[in-house]
Amino acid sequence: MGSRGPSLLDRTAHLTAQPQNPARPPSGRSSLLLACGSGQGAPAGAAPEETTTAGVQGKSLNKADLERAVITETDLDGYEVNPILAGPSASRPTADPAACTPVVQALGGSSGFTATARTGRIIFSKKHGPGASMILSSHSAGDAARVFDTLRMAAERCKTFKDIRADFRYDDADLRPDPGYGDESVSLRLTQLAADSADEDPVRVPFAVVAVRQGTAVAMFYAFNLPAGPRGKEPAVIPEAIIKAQLNKLGKLTDSK
């Protein structure tokens, strides 16, 4: 048949993600979802910034802070936790209409704002239940607020749109009731329409995103159901145990600083 490029499953699994080191291809399920961007980012060890903007208070965390704050298997019973790549730069994916770009970026755990630091984890249930991927980032107070302003506005307005780079359409985007996590949170569900060619009927892939801001830190949780899997036709969910474990650990760090 000749070369057709990445398969439908490969393209679905990698979403909007960009590996940081193209010469080292991802392998294994710990590299299933990679979140990274482009552009000029702050150095990982940059000095933290103490700021207050639009009700956002706190000191920006550096890379070492985030690594201490991110969940491990010790914090989350019944799950396997593995690192995924996450650079501090702003995310590159764009949408059509362009106003929907923040939602496309959130599907890879990122945003259009450069972070002072980012780190990522992919979390699998040891009991074959749902899992999630999570990108934890730290921003200036102004950017932390803008991440949520832009994501919330896009989620309110965008019901159907296209990820231009991945060439996938999304529909049934639904901004869910505020789950009440952290200082502010956004929850949405949507469906990816995935096909290898325009001649094929698209496969419907359920997605979910929960974004939480706690001080200047932003946690983006995202997940999708494999169409052929046991929950292929069910709405995608982010397990509450994962979200609460991450926020609890992050809170302990920020309270001590």
Side-chain angles (χ1 to χ4, degrees):
M1 279 178 67
S3 175
R4 295 180 59 191
S7 70
L8 172 61
L9 179 58
D10 289 339
R11 293 164 63 219
T12 299
H14 283 282
L15 302 172
T16 57
Q18 299 298 314
Q20 287 189 329
N21 184 357
R24 185 179 179 184
S27 62
R29 48 180 200 167
S30 64
S31 298
L32 179 63
L33 296 176
L34 309 178
C36 171
S38 65
Q40 299 300 313
E49 174 190 358
E50 181 96 42
T51 48
T52 302
T53 301
V56 179
Q57 299 183 359
K59 182 180 293 184
S60 295
L61 305 177
N62 59 30
K63 180 68 171 179
D65 291 330
L66 287 188
E67 291 300 336
R68 288 195 297 271
V70 74
I71 52 175
T72 68
E73 292 179 18
T74 303
D75 308 303
L76 196 57
D77 186 45
Y79 289 87
E80 176 185 339
V81 181
N82 293 311
I84 53 177
L85 298 176
S89 303
S91 182
R92 290 184 296 183
T94 55
D96 181 18
C100 302
T101 294
V103 177
V104 170
Q105 292 167 335
L107 288 167
S110 191
S111 72
F113 299 92
T114 298
T116 58
R118 277 193 180 98
T119 190
R121 297 295 184 269
I122 186 166
I123 304 118
F124 301 95
S125 170
K126 295 179 180 178
K127 299 177 182 178
H128 307 291
S133 293
M134 187 271 303
I135 303 297
L136 181 63
S137 61
S138 179
H139 298 264
S140 68
D143 279 354
R146 284 186 281 271
V147 167
F148 273 79
D149 289 344
T150 57
L151 176 58
R152 187 179 293 109
M153 184 179 298
E156 289 172 347
R157 296 179 176 180
C158 297
K159 303 304 178 185
T160 181
F161 53 91
K162 182 178 182 179
D163 179 339
I164 294 174
R165 295 189 68 197
D167 197 26
F168 283 144
R169 294 205 63 82
Y170 292 86
D171 70 4
D172 299 333
D174 179 26
L175 179 62
R176 310 288 294 169
D178 184 346
Y181 295 122
D183 295 322
E184 58 181 325
S185 52
V186 172
S187 174
L188 63 148
R189 289 177 180 166
L190 63 165
T191 301
Q192 183 188 77
L193 306 180
D196 276 332
S197 72
D199 298 329
E200 295 182 359
D201 291 332
V203 175
R204 299 182 67 83
V205 184
F207 274 77
V209 175
V210 174
V212 184
R213 181 183 65 78
Q214 195 155 292
T216 60
V218 173
M220 292 269 194
F221 304 88
Y222 54 106
F224 66 93
N225 291 347
L226 290 173
R231 292 175 295 277
K233 297 188 181 300
E234 299 174 7
V237 297
I238 311 294
E240 188 174 44
I242 295 175
I243 298 174
K244 286 188 172 181
Q246 180 55 75
L247 297 182
N248 287 341
K249 189 167 186 181
L250 177 61
K252 291 177 182 178
L253 176 71
T254 55
D255 287 346
S256 67
K257 292 184 72 68

